[in-house]
Amino acid sequence: MAHYRAPLNDLRFVREEVFAAEREWAAMPATAELNAELADAVMEEAGRLVTAELLPLNASGDAEGCQFDGARVTTPQGFRAAFAEFAEGGWCGLGGDPALGGQGLPKLLTLAFDEMLYASNSSFALYLALNNGAALLLDQYADEATRARYLPRLYAGEWLGTMCLTEPHCGTDLGLIKTRATPNDDGSYAITGSKIWITGGEHDLTDNIVHLVLAKLPDAPPGAKGISLFLVPKRRVDAEGQAGEANGVVCGGLEHKMGIKASATCVMHFEAARGELIGEPHQGLAAMFTMMNYERLSIGMQGLGLGEIAYQSAIDFARERLQSRAPGGAAAPDKPADPILVHPDVRRMALDVRAWNEGGRLFAAFVARELDRARYHPDAETRAHAEEMVALLTPVAKAFLTDRGFEATVEAQQLYGGSGYCVEWGAEQFVRDARIAMIYEGTNGIQAMDLVGRKLVRNEGAYVERLLARLRADLEDGGGADPRLRPFHAAAEAAAARLERATRQLLERARQDPAEAGAAAHDYLQLTGLSVYAWMWWKAARAAVRGLDQGGALGEADYRDKLIVGQHFLDRLLPRSEAHARQLEAGAAGLMALGEMRF
Amino acid sequence: MAHYRAPLNDLRFVREEVFAAEREWAAMPATAELNAELADAVMEEAGRLVTAELLPLNASGDAEGCQFDGARVTTPQGFRAAFAEFAEGGWCGLGGDPALGGQGLPKLLTLAFDEMLYASNSSFALYLALNNGAALLLDQYADEATRARYLPRLYAGEWLGTMCLTEPHCGTDLGLIKTRATPNDDGSYAITGSKIWITGGEHDLTDNIVHLVLAKLPDAPPGAKGISLFLVPKRRVDAEGQAGEANGVVCGGLEHKMGIKASATCVMHFEAARGELIGEPHQGLAAMFTMMNYERLSIGMQGLGLGEIAYQSAIDFARERLQSRAPGGAAAPDKPADPILVHPDVRRMALDVRAWNEGGRLFAAFVARELDRARYHPDAETRAHAEEMVALLTPVAKAFLTDRGFEATVEAQQLYGGSGYCVEWGAEQFVRDARIAMIYEGTNGIQAMDLVGRKLVRNEGAYVERLLARLRADLEDGGGADPRLRPFHAAAEAAAARLERATRQLLERARQDPAEAGAAAHDYLQLTGLSVYAWMWWKAARAAVRGLDQGGALGEADYRDKLIVGQHFLDRLLPRSEAHARQLEAGAAGLMALGEMRF
């Protein structure tokens, strides 16, 4: 009963009409061969593939789940065949290094592909997402020989990668890990320890699995500064890159979860498994953060993708469902009742979901473009600025996109009435699948702490200042006086001012009391997300007006709808930034007042 | 891993110190025999019973679900035995007419019992909740003979009642129902039709089930004015009240749902089943609303109860979980890390949940007391005023308590990190079970429409005016100048002014365009809920200060904590009323702008 078509038109509008991707790509040698037509073709094929191969497996995969027989993990029916399609088509190496078999596409495109994957089948998407992150990490930190042995396999989907961080007693606080790495005589290491919540730790999609494992060397300093990173394949890989004997990596079981049931979440035991050190000793956490940051943005797309399929499916339902009459009198007098979309409150819910989705798509594309600039842009200053933006906005993208994604799936479910609670309609699975995105890859609370700690207080607000300067420069860039754009202009300006005030206030307080940053973190992240969305909607509205006045790839009605949905964001969603600003003012004292044993 | 103890202390504080229950009861002949000690004893035994009998069946019932073999429905292991305990103890007739075997307890107590039931086992609670509603309806609308034949059975839990409204093509819009009632020669009716989503439509807890069924007589006018109400037992009941042969009531299947899996949600077929008319022909909807209103408040308690067990369980987890260090330096230097409750953002989540729960308990008690006054108070004017308050606040209680209950379970789940997503910890079940409460017994959108339509626009704001007058009179009633109470006083005053402004604005607009009421409904309901909570927190704070100054049943620390939690509500939750007020201003035009086929 789920309904999904890749939002190709909106993706193209965002990519080309809002963010001028073609011009952007032309300016960077690594992407100079790309153009709008090629991008369209890739996105279209991606959309076709996820709809044909993954969507039909989403509900059945949820019902069946992964199975564990004490040693092997079996993915649900159809997953192996679907994965083979993706691997053969080169979709596992979409953003990978072309010299080693990757497709070399920029993040702006791979992120849109991520959105489609998560929308059509979040469980399936995770196998690819972890692999992408692992490949990215190896690309940056592994030596040439290791890159050559592993990356072509990962890009080709012959093997899949994982990240192994969490242990039963530590998730957020990785300094506490107990997994040990003991040097072998041949320069390799014997890895011993147990990891939990390992996505794709064991499965039947590929015959080798490449684990990136955090462990401590014998001479490790205590805490987070003593963590090293190791590559530990399920089957040992020889110098020629051939997989051979088993490597002491054993799956101990699967978690039973609220959702993403077709994603194998494994307990993994490493029993003197042979691993190789990646990067420098004791520097593993920094390397892992490369992967985690990549995953964080990817997980943001889980929120967006699920919000999108939830919207499309709910609208599909709402068109058919007849209940009661429109407030002003029958809209469909020939039918026993009107379709529920005539009711203002039903429209409110639908527009909320849609505005979050379209705003999220704009924001994700913005961050993706900055990532591409940071990686590929010839100008060093542009790269440096883009890196700051990425650092600042990654926690926002992860947390705000997944908070809003979950909210969107819940609100879309509400649109169904009782059917939304029944499994057969699919809406409840979107809610369950979306819920994890607020938790894993660092809970959204941890993202907020990262934002206010590392990305704000540590640089005394310099990144935010530059973000605001850029926002304001963009507001000067044409159209603000147009009556159709004035509300968007005013809203973005007010949002910037509000964020600036909150930033100053927070910096001042954090200097006085270390608890203040944590106390403000959640509301500050929400405020940042809303403010950036206000900016994004200004961009979208400006592009829509340009499309109306000068023509564009979309139809007139599409541009008008864009303004309507954007206005809904201004009217009905952005006002909560005032509440967050107010809540932020409350400070830490109230939170710390209750004794620990009084909770 | 779930942790729950009935919040007896807080319930007693609310009952006696905030709402002076003993004095209240003494003023009404029907409850004059009740006193605080007796109430405490009942609550204590209720708490013991739910913890001993229901809590252990909650996770297992979720895992096992109800089974359907093509004819019979089997509840999960342990449910029959637990139900027998409750039936034998008289807990099925707690609020029932003493003349027919009920316990005659006021709503203020039965609602607290509901909270405990839903907390410990929401699926189980529903069998009792539907029965209570059915009994209430029969008590008010059935003739003497029918009351005598059925009520003692329902109060004793020998039989259980249901409500049969929804059909596949209509949930909200009951005017569309197709089930027919044809008069038999003996004065009974033959009921034919199918109903869906019937909670407890079939089960193995009792050997007869009493269905209250909406159907249309042959001469029924079209729409909602042509609906009659029938009592249709699963097994026919003779004049002496003995159950005999089967009555053409067949279960067609069970729904597969997101949660409340141990509650049998049935498709029911009535095949010329013999029924008796309850109340007047074509007046069935009004009678059914008696039951629905009762259920609505009860479902509000599902939100509150699940919020409470979610809180207690999450805190239980948080105390044991060690991750990272407190912002100002180690709080537990002898341990490898600090308990997560040292972190301000973790405390924020915990305090959010707690403040919603305690505010909800105050609000529920307030509505319950009004219900008792409406039913039992000797003074006609008091009864009339209380009836208005109940009418006004029932949709708010249903929707606001369940919205906040769901939010509370989600936020409590977040506190666990990854464990919150794993089934074994129980937190995810609370989320799934809480989700339905926003949907059934009239979606929360329907509640909002009821509030702005029937309870606001229809009386031109008279009910709200009287609510505000009462709130303001209460603010005059002592203590507002006390510095400890000043913030509560100011917040409640500001909330009243905000609600008043919004009310005026909405009334004005609704006169001009019928879409305006629907467009404002959601935000107006949220605003009303927050404003009433601000009032309730003023009451609680005043009682806490009284407890601190003059002593009370609780300890000093309890009263101080009450003020801390209340302050958290003012600082961190109430500010969203500003956003709702702003969103409400947006009006209907934006919502109606998008073409129906453009969604």
Side-chain angles (χ1 to χ4, degrees):
Chain A
M1 304 288 207
H3 180 83
Y4 180 70
R5 288 169 60 181
L8 297 175
N9 280 344
D10 198 46
L11 282 166
R12 192 184 199 285
F13 168 76
V14 170
R15 205 164 57 235
E16 286 302 332
E17 302 186 40
V18 178
F19 290 111
E22 199 171 52
R23 204 174 62 205
E24 183 84 12
W25 292 332
M28 306 188 294
T31 56
E33 282 174 32
L34 205 55
N35 59 40
E37 284 64 42
L38 189 53
D40 284 348
V42 172
M43 291 292 98
E44 201 173 311
E45 176 58 13
R48 192 199 62 72
L49 205 59
V50 300
T51 312
E53 301 293 332
L54 299 187
L55 192 57
L57 303 179
N58 194 38
S60 60
D62 179 63
E64 196 182 334
C66 287
Q67 307 300 325
F68 178 62
D69 69 0
R72 281 163 311 185
V73 170
T74 312
T75 55
Q77 230 174 351
F79 271 53
R80 276 177 65 92
F83 180 75
E85 285 276 324
F86 279 80
E88 276 164 35
W91 298 96
C92 295
L94 214 57
D97 181 356
L100 293 169
Q103 309 286 330
L105 291 184
K107 193 76 180 177
L108 194 54
L109 291 179
T110 63
L111 208 66
F113 178 52
D114 281 354
E115 183 196 326
M116 296 179 201
L117 283 172
Y118 284 112
S120 54
N121 198 319
S122 277
S123 288
F124 185 96
L126 286 164
Y127 296 102
L128 272 65
L130 271 292
N131 188 57
N132 287 337
L136 186 77
L137 190 157
L138 291 177
D139 188 40
Q140 288 190 26
Y141 289 91
D143 58 33
E144 273 316 298
T146 302
R147 292 177 78 255
R149 281 192 306 157
Y150 285 94
L151 285 176
R153 303 285 197 169
L154 298 181
Y155 292 153
E158 290 173 36
W159 304 342
L160 281 171
T162 80
M163 56 198 282
C164 301
L165 285 69
T166 305
E167 300 183 6
H169 60 290
C170 67
T172 293
D173 189 358
L174 291 169
L176 302 176
I177 65 167
K178 294 178 182 166
T179 298
R180 299 282 151 193
T182 315
N184 296 326
D185 295 340
D186 63 356
S188 72
Y189 295 82
I191 312 295
T192 302
S194 290
K195 298 285 182 177
I196 61 167
W197 301 342
I198 308 309
T199 300
E202 177 59 33
H203 56 70
D204 58 359
L205 300 180
T206 56
D207 61 21
N208 203 7
I209 298 172
V210 180
H211 302 287
L212 295 174
V213 184
L214 293 185
K216 291 191 171 178
L217 289 165
D219 62 343
K225 285 173 186 142
I227 299 174
S228 303
L229 177 68
F230 299 88
L231 184 161
V232 187
K234 173 183 170 184
R235 293 169 57 203
R236 291 186 182 168
V237 175
D238 66 20
E240 281 70 47
Q242 299 303 316
E245 61 191 314
N247 190 27
V249 182
V250 187
C251 176
L254 294 176
E255 300 293 342
H256 298 280
K257 309 186 299 295
M258 184 184 196
I260 52 164
K261 294 191 181 192
S263 167
T265 308
C266 303
V267 176
M268 297 302 297
H269 302 301
F270 297 88
E271 296 160 355
R274 195 190 292 168
E276 53 183 289
L277 181 69
I278 301 294
E280 298 300 310
H282 318 317
Q283 304 293 316
L285 211 51
M288 195 52 103
F289 261 106
T290 302
M291 181 164 179
M292 279 200 283
N293 276 329
Y294 185 98
E295 298 300 340
R296 283 173 179 181
L297 192 52
S298 171
I299 295 307
M301 304 315 287
Q302 184 177 6
L304 175 56
L306 286 168
E308 179 64 32
I309 190 172
Y311 175 78
Q312 292 190 28
S313 301
I315 295 300
D316 202 48
F317 175 90
R319 280 202 213 297
E320 303 295 321
R321 182 75 175 167
L322 311 179
Q323 298 286 281
S324 308
R325 291 297 182 185
D334 53 321
K335 292 182 180 164
D338 289 335
I340 59 173
L341 273 172
V342 301
H343 301 296
D345 189 59
V346 172
R347 290 173 154 258
R348 174 190 62 80
M349 294 190 279
L351 282 165
D352 281 359
V353 178
R354 178 151 161 186
W356 287 132
N357 289 344
E358 294 187 6
R361 195 167 292 122
L362 289 158
F363 177 47
F366 178 76
V367 180
R369 192 178 61 163
E370 295 300 307
L371 263 170
D372 288 331
R373 286 183 180 174
R375 189 168 180 185
Y376 296 125
H377 205 282
D379 176 49
E381 203 177 318
T382 304
R383 281 201 308 276
H385 172 80
E387 253 165 42
E388 285 182 6
M389 291 299 106
V390 169
L392 179 67
L393 295 176
T394 294
V396 182
K398 194 279 181 180
F400 199 72
L401 281 167
T402 59
D403 280 350
R404 297 295 79 74
F406 179 69
E407 183 178 340
T409 59
V410 170
E411 204 162 9
Q413 182 189 23
Q414 192 71 17
L415 240 136
Y416 290 79
S419 301
Y421 200 67
C422 296
V423 171
E424 62 183 303
W425 286 94
E428 62 89 35
Q429 187 191 343
F430 306 144
V431 174
R432 288 186 290 106
D433 285 358
R435 183 64 186 89
I436 186 61
M438 299 157 75
I439 298 173
Y440 60 13
E441 304 306 336
T443 64
N444 286 0
I446 291 295
Q447 305 300 323
M449 292 295 296
D450 178 49
L451 175 67
V452 296
R454 291 197 197 87
K455 314 301 173 55
L456 179 74
V457 172
R458 190 174 292 177
N459 59 53
E460 297 198 7
Y463 293 4
V464 176
E465 256 172 52
R466 287 198 271 278
L467 177 89
L468 289 171
R470 198 162 149 198
L471 186 165
R472 284 170 173 144
D474 194 45
L475 286 178
E476 299 301 305
D477 188 14
D482 187 314
R484 294 167 296 179
L485 288 176
R486 220 177 287 144
F488 294 94
H489 193 276
E493 206 163 41
R498 200 183 296 113
L499 181 60
E500 192 168 42
R501 269 196 309 276
T503 304
R504 274 205 216 107
Q505 192 180 69
L506 173 52
L507 284 169
E508 181 137 334
R509 284 191 181 179
R511 273 192 281 272
Q512 288 155 19
D513 179 351
E516 289 290 345
H522 167 77
D523 287 304
Y524 187 78
L525 187 145
Q526 300 295 321
L527 189 61
T528 306
L530 287 160
S531 306
V532 173
Y533 273 40
W535 178 18
M536 296 299 118
W537 275 109
W538 151 255
K539 284 178 172 294
R542 185 175 53 189
V545 164
R546 202 187 309 122
L548 280 173
D549 292 349
Q550 302 166 26
L554 299 181
E556 245 187 71
D558 296 307
Y559 293 120
R560 272 200 302 269
D561 289 353
K562 187 60 81 177
L563 294 173
I564 291 170
V565 176
Q567 186 68 45
H568 183 82
F569 171 77
L570 303 186
D571 289 346
R572 300 260 177 186
L573 302 173
L574 184 57
R576 51 175 99 168
S577 57
E578 293 169 40
H580 288 296
R582 175 65 67 93
Q583 286 156 209
L584 204 144
E585 285 169 19
L591 297 181
M592 307 314 284
L594 207 65
E596 195 189 311
M597 295 312 295
R598 305 290 308 172
F599 274 92
Chain B
M1 304 288 205
H3 179 85
Y4 180 70
R5 287 169 62 180
L8 297 176
N9 281 344
D10 198 46
L11 282 165
R12 191 184 200 284
F13 169 76
V14 170
R15 204 164 59 234
E16 286 301 332
E17 302 186 38
V18 179
F19 290 111
E22 198 171 54
R23 204 173 61 206
E24 184 83 13
W25 293 331
M28 304 187 295
T31 56
E33 282 173 32
L34 205 54
N35 59 40
E37 283 62 42
L38 189 52
D40 284 348
V42 172
M43 292 291 99
E44 200 172 313
E45 177 59 12
R48 192 199 62 73
L49 204 58
V50 300
T51 312
E53 301 294 331
L54 299 187
L55 192 58
L57 302 179
N58 194 38
S60 61
D62 179 64
E64 196 182 335
C66 287
Q67 307 299 325
F68 179 62
D69 70 359
R72 280 163 313 183
V73 170
T74 313
T75 55
Q77 230 174 352
F79 271 54
R80 276 176 65 93
F83 180 75
E85 285 276 323
F86 279 80
E88 275 164 35
W91 298 96
C92 294
L94 214 56
D97 180 356
L100 293 169
Q103 309 286 330
L105 292 184
K107 193 77 180 175
L108 193 54
L109 291 179
T110 63
L111 209 66
F113 178 53
D114 281 355
E115 182 197 327
M116 297 180 201
L117 282 173
Y118 284 111
S120 54
N121 197 320
S122 277
S123 287
F124 185 96
L126 286 164
Y127 296 102
L128 272 63
L130 272 292
N131 188 57
N132 287 337
L136 187 77
L137 190 155
L138 291 177
D139 188 40
Q140 287 189 26
Y141 289 92
D143 58 33
E144 272 315 298
T146 302
R147 290 177 78 255
R149 281 194 305 157
Y150 285 94
L151 284 176
R153 302 285 198 171
L154 298 181
Y155 292 153
E158 290 173 37
W159 304 342
L160 281 171
T162 79
M163 55 198 282
C164 300
L165 285 69
T166 306
E167 300 183 6
H169 60 290
C170 66
T172 293
D173 189 358
L174 290 168
L176 303 174
I177 64 167
K178 293 176 181 167
T179 298
R180 298 283 151 194
T182 317
N184 295 326
D185 295 339
D186 62 357
S188 71
Y189 295 82
I191 312 294
T192 301
S194 291
K195 298 284 181 177
I196 61 168
W197 302 342
I198 308 309
T199 299
E202 177 59 34
H203 56 70
D204 57 0
L205 299 182
T206 55
D207 62 21
N208 203 8
I209 299 173
V210 180
H211 303 285
L212 295 174
V213 185
L214 293 185
K216 289 190 171 179
L217 289 164
D219 61 343
K225 286 172 185 141
I227 299 175
S228 303
L229 176 67
F230 299 87
L231 184 161
V232 188
K234 173 183 170 185
R235 292 169 56 202
R236 292 185 182 169
V237 175
D238 66 21
E240 281 71 45
Q242 299 303 315
E245 62 193 311
N247 189 27
V249 181
V250 187
C251 177
L254 293 177
E255 300 293 341
H256 298 280
K257 310 184 300 294
M258 183 184 196
I260 51 163
K261 295 191 180 192
S263 166
T265 308
C266 302
V267 176
M268 297 303 296
H269 302 301
F270 296 88
E271 296 159 357
R274 194 190 292 168
E276 54 184 287
L277 181 68
I278 302 293
E280 299 301 309
H282 318 319
Q283 304 294 316
L285 211 50
M288 195 53 103
F289 261 106
T290 301
M291 182 164 177
M292 281 200 283
N293 276 328
Y294 185 97
E295 299 300 339
R296 282 173 180 182
L297 192 52
S298 171
I299 295 307
M301 303 316 286
Q302 183 177 7
L304 175 56
L306 286 167
E308 179 63 32
I309 190 172
Y311 175 79
Q312 292 190 28
S313 301
I315 294 300
D316 202 46
F317 175 90
R319 278 200 214 299
E320 303 295 320
R321 182 76 176 165
L322 311 178
Q323 298 284 282
S324 308
R325 291 297 183 186
D334 52 320
K335 292 183 181 163
D338 289 335
I340 60 173
L341 273 172
V342 302
H343 301 295
D345 189 60
V346 172
R347 290 172 154 258
R348 174 190 62 80
M349 293 191 280
L351 281 165
D352 281 359
V353 178
R354 179 151 160 187
W356 287 132
N357 289 344
E358 295 187 6
R361 195 167 292 124
L362 288 158
F363 176 48
F366 178 76
V367 180
R369 191 179 61 165
E370 295 300 307
L371 263 169
D372 288 330
R373 285 182 181 175
R375 189 167 178 186
Y376 296 126
H377 206 281
D379 176 50
E381 202 177 318
T382 303
R383 281 202 308 276
H385 171 80
E387 253 165 44
E388 285 182 7
M389 290 301 106
V390 169
L392 178 67
L393 295 177
T394 294
V396 182
K398 194 279 182 180
F400 199 71
L401 281 167
T402 59
D403 281 350
R404 298 293 80 74
F406 179 69
E407 183 178 341
T409 59
V410 170
E411 202 161 11
Q413 183 188 22
Q414 191 72 16
L415 239 136
Y416 291 79
S419 301
Y421 200 67
C422 296
V423 171
E424 63 183 302
W425 286 94
E428 63 89 35
Q429 187 192 343
F430 305 144
V431 174
R432 289 186 289 105
D433 285 357
R435 183 66 186 89
I436 187 59
M438 299 157 75
I439 298 172
Y440 60 12
E441 304 307 336
T443 65
N444 286 1
I446 290 295
Q447 304 301 325
M449 293 295 296
D450 178 48
L451 174 66
V452 297
R454 291 196 197 88
K455 314 301 173 57
L456 180 74
V457 172
R458 189 173 293 177
N459 58 55
E460 298 198 5
Y463 293 4
V464 176
E465 255 173 54
R466 285 197 272 279
L467 177 88
L468 289 171
R470 198 162 148 197
L471 186 166
R472 284 169 173 147
D474 194 43
L475 286 178
E476 298 302 305
D477 188 13
D482 186 314
R484 294 166 296 179
L485 288 175
R486 220 176 286 143
F488 294 95
H489 193 275
E493 206 162 42
R498 201 182 295 113
L499 181 61
E500 191 168 44
R501 270 198 308 279
T503 303
R504 275 205 214 106
Q505 192 181 69
L506 172 52
L507 284 169
E508 182 136 332
R509 286 192 179 179
R511 272 191 281 272
Q512 289 154 20
D513 179 352
E516 290 290 347
H522 167 77
D523 286 303
Y524 187 78
L525 187 145
Q526 300 294 321
L527 189 61
T528 305
L530 287 161
S531 306
V532 173
Y533 273 41
W535 177 19
M536 295 299 120
W537 274 111
W538 151 254
K539 284 177 171 295
R542 186 175 52 190
V545 164
R546 201 187 310 122
L548 279 174
D549 293 350
Q550 302 166 24
L554 300 181
E556 246 188 72
D558 296 307
Y559 294 120
R560 272 199 304 268
D561 289 353
K562 188 58 81 178
L563 294 174
I564 292 170
V565 175
Q567 187 67 46
H568 183 83
F569 171 77
L570 303 186
D571 289 346
R572 301 259 177 186
L573 302 174
L574 184 58
R576 52 176 97 168
S577 57
E578 294 169 37
H580 288 295
R582 175 67 65 93
Q583 286 155 210
L584 204 143
E585 285 169 18
L591 296 181
M592 305 316 283
L594 207 65
E596 195 189 312
M597 295 312 293
R598 305 290 307 172
F599 274 92

